Amino acid sequence: MLTIKVRTEAFDLMQNYYRTFHDPIIRCLIRFSGRLDAAALERAVDLSLSAAPPIACGFTPRTHGWVYGGFSAKDILSVEKSGTPKREEQILLSRLNFEKGPQLKLFLIREGEGDALCAVMSHLVADGAGFKQYLYLLADLYSRCAENPDYRTAPKPGSRSLSQLLRGYSLREKAAVFSSHSDYARLAQPMPMLLKGDRNRPFLVRLVLEEEPFSRIRSYGKARGATVNDLLLTAYARALHRWTGCADIRFPCFVDMRKYLKYPQKCGICNMTSRYGCRAVFSQDEPFEATLQKISASMSRHKGSPGCLKAPVLLGFLFRIFPRAVLARLSPVLFRAAPVSFTNIGVFEKGRLVFGDRKPEDVFLSSAAKYTPNFQVAVSTWNGRCSLCSSFHGTPEDQKRIRSFLGEMERELVSAAAPRDE
């Protein structure tokens, strides 16, 4: 077997340590109205591995690094001749062998006259934005392979290193990063989530904000100078307030650091995520708009500061000077996982998920299935529809509670954006 050396990066160690709290897996479902060409998809998967070499590797605890496993599309892609929504959920919640690999599983499920593509990727390979980048690449390669069965041009990998964060920054800009303040540590606190947990029972809960009400919600936010993310964070904070009874709600909101790169086109399929701290102190019977103003102001302050770059840049520095084994032992200190968190994967670009002549009818992405007492909501948007998802290991009662929680988020948003009589 040909041996390929795949470089280990700092965030690989971090995501491997997070296996203490969850299975670090990102999941996506893409539903089509027609059939995909399985042979063209297999060729596309093989070509895609050149752009994301860790997919074909295992991450070994012996060296705390990648070991090439020689995997191909035949090890990654499965075709099932029939499927149901229950089967789709089982596939999306399937596990990966992180130590041996591969770090990606794809399932093409034949459903009536259409297909569903379920993708399950290790978080050691990429974050949500990196996963989207991979799916866009796969769609492009499939389109080329479907048009030309002899297409064999493999894409080149980009940088996965944290060192690219400050590449091209002036001394003044670098000084601003290192002198910035981050309040993340004090936000990593548990809350009384009322979830029992069951490590042997993973499930995924999804709630969809349909196009018409979501359009009203966006218009409501725009009229108040708030982003969609501000609105979702507000609904999340208010649902946590109702659920836990805590008046002081604190949690991290994940941010894609690619927006800070001077040369984003050179960034490969990787983890490039940091955190903003989100906090809301509630007064009695506080209206939605009052909470929105607090959170929107807080997010604006964060966006105007390079503070979210500081911890990753310092981590990258430590990674260059300390052996991996030392950093692995320091993981509980270096990599603090927040029990309660929120991640907005963002909008899937319609034109970039077209597979040949097949356009998706539905797309959503969900994050790692948490273990109690950890909890997270992941948001993704496709074609004007917003999906609120939470993956968790828990009891049937936990599943009902989380479905109710997402319903509370929906009620907060819909109620705030409802037309008012003048």
Side-chain angles (χ1 to χ4, degrees), residues 138-214:
L138 185 64
D140 178 67
L141 291 172
Y142 172 90
S143 300
R144 295 174 187 273
C145 290
E147 182 179 0
N148 177 12
D150 296 322
Y151 185 82
R152 292 293 184 271
T153 304
K156 295 181 179 179
S159 174
R160 301 182 70 246
S161 174
L162 285 175
S163 64
Q164 66 185 303
L165 277 174
L166 296 186
R167 192 170 297 146
Y169 275 52
S170 67
L171 288 176
R172 184 174 181 179
E173 289 172 322
K174 291 178 181 178
V177 171
F178 285 106
S179 63
S180 61
H181 172 70
S182 174
D183 59 358
Y184 170 70
R186 65 184 178 84
L187 297 173
Q189 61 178 17
M191 294 184 191
M193 299 305 298
L194 309 177
L195 297 173
K196 297 178 180 178
D198 181 347
R199 290 203 168 215
N200 297 315
R201 187 179 182 274
F203 60 81
L204 188 155
V205 179
R206 179 193 183 198
L207 185 150
V208 180
L209 294 168
E210 297 293 348
E211 185 174 0
E212 194 275 331
F214 190 50

Side-chain angles (χ1 to χ4, degrees), residues 6-241:
V6 178
R7 180 174 170 175
T8 303
E9 300 295 348
F11 269 2
D12 303 340
L13 291 179
M14 181 183 74
Q15 290 297 339
N16 188 56
Y17 169 70
Y18 282 166
R19 291 169 60 190
T20 307
F21 308 101
H22 56 236
D23 286 337
I25 294 173
I26 319 173
R27 319 151 204 285
C28 183
L29 183 141
I30 308 173
R31 196 182 305 282
F32 301 92
S33 59
R35 295 275 191 234
L36 295 186
D37 182 336
L41 182 59
E42 183 175 311
R43 293 196 299 274
V45 173
D46 271 330
L47 291 173
S48 74
L49 299 182
S50 296
I55 288 175
C57 298
F59 196 87
T60 172
R62 183 175 59 83
T63 62
H64 305 285
W66 296 111
V67 175
Y68 183 65
F71 299 104
S72 70
K74 293 187 182 300
D75 306 297
I76 293 169
L77 176 64
S78 302
V79 179
E80 298 200 3
K81 295 183 179 180
S82 63
T84 63
K86 184 64 178 177
R87 176 57 183 154
E88 288 175 1
E89 181 182 358
Q90 289 174 344
I91 288 174
L92 288 173
L93 292 167
S94 59
R95 306 186 70 176
L96 297 170
N97 190 325
F98 300 103
E99 288 84 5
K100 294 183 178 180
Q103 306 291 323
L104 171 71
K105 287 288 187 180
L106 294 168
F107 299 83
L108 183 61
I109 306 174
R110 307 297 195 187
E111 297 180 345
E113 297 181 356
D115 283 345
L117 182 63
C118 294
V120 179
M121 177 179 273
S122 165
H123 216 324
L124 278 70
V125 175
D127 55 16
F131 191 22
K132 284 199 301 183
Q133 185 180 345
Y134 175 80
L135 293 171
Y136 294 157
L137 172 66
L138 185 64
D140 178 67
L141 291 172
Y142 172 90
S143 300
R144 295 174 187 273
C145 290
E147 182 179 0
N148 177 12
D150 296 322
Y151 185 82
R152 292 293 184 271
T153 304
K156 295 181 179 179
S159 174
R160 301 182 70 246
S161 174
L162 285 175
S163 64
Q164 66 185 303
L165 277 174
L166 296 186
R167 192 170 297 146
Y169 275 52
S170 67
L171 288 176
R172 184 174 181 179
E173 289 172 322
K174 291 178 181 178
V177 171
F178 285 106
S179 63
S180 61
H181 172 70
S182 174
D183 59 358
Y184 170 70
R186 65 184 178 84
L187 297 173
Q189 61 178 17
M191 294 184 191
M193 299 305 298
L194 309 177
L195 297 173
K196 297 178 180 178
D198 181 347
R199 290 203 168 215
N200 297 315
R201 187 179 182 274
F203 60 81
L204 188 155
V205 179
R206 179 193 183 198
L207 185 150
V208 180
L209 294 168
E210 297 293 348
E211 185 174 0
E212 194 275 331
F214 190 50
S215 177
R216 286 202 311 269
I217 290 165
R218 292 199 306 270
S219 297
Y220 168 85
K222 185 176 181 180
R224 288 154 182 80
T227 67
V228 171
N229 198 55
D230 293 340
L231 292 165
L232 293 166
L233 285 169
T234 300
Y236 185 58
R238 290 176 66 84
L240 284 174
H241 171 57

